[in-house]
């Protein structure tokens, strides 16, 4: 299951987002407590956080939090 989710309504692209512990789904499982996280962006046609047929998403990228900087995700894959 995802460690965190960020919902952005009516985004304008390109979009810059800063991920923080506020994006954690569970208060006791903070993003900052992880050594690495996997990031993925999705445009959901239904508004659901889980991928649905027809949604668009990026490849997932693994990021080491200790050396994290700007991560570029390209939303270029349609979910079947």
């Amino acid at each position: 299951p995802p460690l965190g989710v960020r919902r952005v309504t009516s985004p304008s692209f390109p979009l810059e987002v800063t991920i923080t512990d506020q994006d954690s789904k569970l208060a006791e499982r903070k993003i900052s407590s992880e050594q690495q996280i996997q990031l993925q962006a999705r445009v959901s046609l239904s508004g659901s956080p889980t991928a649905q047929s027809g949604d668009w998403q990026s490849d997932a990228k693994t990021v080491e939090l200790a050396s994290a900087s700007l991560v570029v995700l390209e939303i270029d894959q349609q979910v079947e």
Side-chain angles (χ1 to χ4, degrees):
L3 176 62
V5 175
R6 166 79 63 92
R7 180 183 298 244
V8 179
T9 55
S10 303
S12 176
F13 296 101
L15 178 67
E16 188 171 317
V17 175
T18 301
I19 305 297
T20 70
D21 286 336
Q22 299 286 28
D23 297 304
S24 294
K25 288 178 66 175
L26 302 171
E28 64 274 4
R29 191 169 173 219
K30 297 186 182 302
I31 292 172
S32 62
S33 68
E34 302 293 319
Q35 291 183 355
Q36 61 178 295
I37 59 172
Q38 196 172 63
L39 299 174
Q40 184 174 35
R42 180 177 302 113
V43 175
S44 172
L45 301 179
S46 68
S48 171
T50 56
Q52 308 274 330
S53 180
D55 290 351
W56 287 87
Q57 65 186 15
S58 69
D59 277 330
K61 291 189 179 180
T62 301
V63 177
E64 298 288 334
L65 289 184
S67 61
S69 60
L70 180 67
V71 177
V72 176
L73 300 173
E74 186 174 344
I75 301 170
D76 61 353
Q77 301 168 18
Q78 190 166 27
V79 177
E80 294 183 13

